Amino acid sequence: MNKVPEAWLVPDWPAPGNVGALCTTRAGGCSAAPYDTMNIGSRVDDDPDCVARNRATLLQACAGADSLQWLHQVHGVLCIEARAHCAGEVAADASCTREAGIGCLVGTADCVPVLFCDRQGSWVAAAHAGWRGLCDGVLESTLDQYGGDPAGLLAWLGPCIGPNSFEVNDDVRDAFLAVDSAAESAFRTAGDAGRWLGDLPEIARQRLRARGVTQVYGGNWCTVEDAERFYSFRRDNVTGRMASVVWLKSGG
């Protein structure tokens, strides 16, 4: 049986038994500094051979998954259907599937990774919610692909930049408020005029609740504050990417 490394995260959510999910950390791979060690990102100037080996390690840990859907994330809202043994990376920021054995995956280093499954264990999805994608509707776009009652869905938020570290100017706050005034409660002043601290996990929860998803878990880790476990672009600039994966297990 494949074993998830102890240093990685396994979502604590009441998912059906045929749903697998995990989130990598910095540990468990072969990449050298500053990507040490489990970088899965192919566009950060890491050694391609190390990235390939890390990706193989990840797939091996996903018991019941035969392949992973890799994305070229562009901070957009497109959600695609994950395909088995898809060659290359598809330009999109979310994927979903009803087919067993395919891992829906997003890579992050501050953005919010959001995993979904339904209570029947018949549909899973993964979304990459950077602030632009979150603001523009990547979560809503992903939910549109489900087609059923969103009250039957579970969501899990992985490690991302936390509410004490996401400092932004007026333009970011204004962009969120232009879409939904409820986002005002997720911002607090950072001291200087025109500077704000934003709570991206809270905004994600708000957007999910607004679409009827009430069972939301996770979202308690800050990538910036925990340099030992997590990559953070805001903190380090040159850094790796973590993977958040969800899949329907094949073989029973």
Side-chain angles (χ1 to χ4, degrees):
M1 178 178 293
N2 299 10
K3 184 178 180 181
V4 177
E6 290 184 5
W8 296 4
L9 303 177
V10 176
D12 183 12
W13 61 345
N18 70 318
V19 173
L22 61 81
C23 176
T24 64
T25 63
R26 298 185 69 126
C30 63
S31 293
Y35 310 103
D36 46 326
T37 61
M38 189 58 197
N39 168 51
I40 55 83
S42 65
R43 300 171 185 273
V44 296
D45 293 330
D46 190 8
D47 182 339
D49 290 337
C50 288
V51 175
R53 290 166 61 189
N54 290 341
R55 290 185 172 193
T57 296
L58 171 61
L59 178 58
Q60 188 176 28
C62 297
D66 307 309
S67 65
L68 302 174
Q69 176 66 70
W70 292 96
L71 303 178
H72 173 198
Q73 297 165 185
V74 295
H75 295 277
V77 300
L78 178 63
C79 178
I80 65 164
E81 285 282 341
R83 303 295 182 187
H85 305 289
C86 177
E89 299 178 351
V90 180
D93 283 86
S95 67
C96 63
T97 188
R98 294 184 181 276
E99 185 177 345
I102 307 173
C104 294
L105 179 151
V106 291
T108 59
D110 281 337
C111 297
V112 188
V114 185
L115 303 182
F116 296 92
C117 73
D118 66 356
R119 294 185 182 280
Q120 292 72 41
S122 63
W123 183 85
V124 293
H128 163 244
W131 81 259
R132 293 184 185 278
L134 183 58
C135 185
D136 291 344
V138 68
L139 299 184
E140 291 84 349
S141 175
T142 304
L143 293 172
D144 287 343
Q145 297 302 310
Y146 177 53
D149 183 356
L153 291 175
L154 308 175
W156 182 81
L157 313 182
C160 66
I161 189 168
N164 294 322
S165 300
F166 186 55
E167 186 171 343
V168 297
N169 292 322
D170 282 331
D171 60 335
V172 174
R173 178 175 177 270
D174 291 346
F176 278 108
L177 295 185
V179 176
D180 184 2
S181 61
E184 183 174 8
S185 65
F187 289 89
R188 69 184 194 276
T189 59
D192 297 330
R195 298 291 289 174
W196 303 88
L197 287 169
D199 189 338
L200 290 182
E202 177 56 24
I203 294 174
R205 295 184 189 100
Q206 291 176 354
R207 300 293 282 268
L208 291 170
R209 286 196 298 266
R211 287 294 298 265
V213 181
T214 59
Q215 300 299 305
V216 182
Y217 303 85
N220 303 315
W221 307 270
C222 178
T223 48
V224 177
E225 293 178 352
D226 194 340
E228 182 176 350
R229 284 202 296 174
F230 304 127
Y231 297 117
S232 169
F233 181 80
R234 173 75 64 110
R235 183 189 63 232
D236 299 325
N237 191 22
V238 178
T239 191
R241 299 294 185 270
M242 300 168 292
S244 295
V245 196
V246 63
W247 67 97
L248 299 172
K249 299 175 184 178
S250 60

